Amino acid sequence: MSKRLFDLFFSVVGLLVLSPLLLLLAVLVKASDGGSVFFRQLRIGQDGSPFHIVKFRTMVQNAEQFGLSVTRDGDARITRVGRFLRKTKLDELPQLWNVLVGDMSFVGPRPEVARYVEHYTAEQKRVLTLKPGITDLATLTFRREEELLRTAGRRRRTEDGEREAADVEAFYMEHCVPRKIELNLAYADTANVWEDF
């Protein structure tokens, strides 16, 4: 079975089987503050093609206007329902749609926002030859990324909140992104359906 057929089959099955849970989560998100249910963000996909990733909204409306693209633990923009969704990773379930339409795969490098991809080296850009995924080795390695970023913010805390935010983003770019790309390029060398499974 090819990777695309695998993704297509399991995304359809996942959307059908999980539809009651998806509906319940949508109601919870909507009821929490009356805002939109889904969060769509432009990410960079395979071969540098942009696409909109879909997640359940876990932050206040228009949260990107009030802070960074990366989120650390304790971020005031995260809603109460959002905290639960993030902790359980249930906010990622709508990405089954991204898999269904072919923007993503189940397994592959997590897609980044353009502002971070712009800083990739030529070697790091090799990761863009892969179809992005819902999960990857970096997701497992950095499963507590929000806590790591909160700790980085504390270590670099100043009286100026904007400076602290810039330091958190710098930490993400200098320490997290290179390691994630390294793991994904190692995955690319052995990627196949059975390995993904």
Side-chain angles (χ1 to χ4, degrees), residues 42-76:
L42 196 64
R43 300 283 181 102
I44 303 301
Q46 190 171 26
D47 299 323
S49 300
F51 73 97
H52 283 96
I53 197 170
V54 183
K55 299 181 178 193
F56 281 120
R57 184 176 57 82
T58 60
M59 301 176 94
V60 297
Q61 281 292 123
N62 304 313
E64 287 189 306
Q65 296 174 10
F66 307 113
L68 301 173
S69 295
V70 293
T71 311
R72 58 187 169 169
D73 194 37
D75 192 314

Side-chain angles (χ1 to χ4, degrees), residues 87-101:
K87 191 168 282 290
T88 59
K89 300 295 186 190
L90 291 172
D91 62 317
E92 308 284 352
L93 287 178
Q95 289 166 46
L96 289 169
W97 174 256
N98 289 113
V99 174
L100 178 66
V101 299

Side-chain angles (χ1 to χ4, degrees), residues 97-129:
W97 174 256
N98 289 113
V99 174
L100 178 66
V101 299
D103 292 329
M104 293 176 68
S105 181
F106 276 98
V107 179
R110 288 294 296 163
E112 275 290 2
V113 295
R115 65 185 280 178
Y116 298 142
V117 173
E118 289 170 2
H119 296 284
Y120 285 9
T121 65
E123 173 64 15
Q124 289 173 331
K125 285 182 181 175
R126 281 186 39 229
V127 80
L128 298 176
T129 63

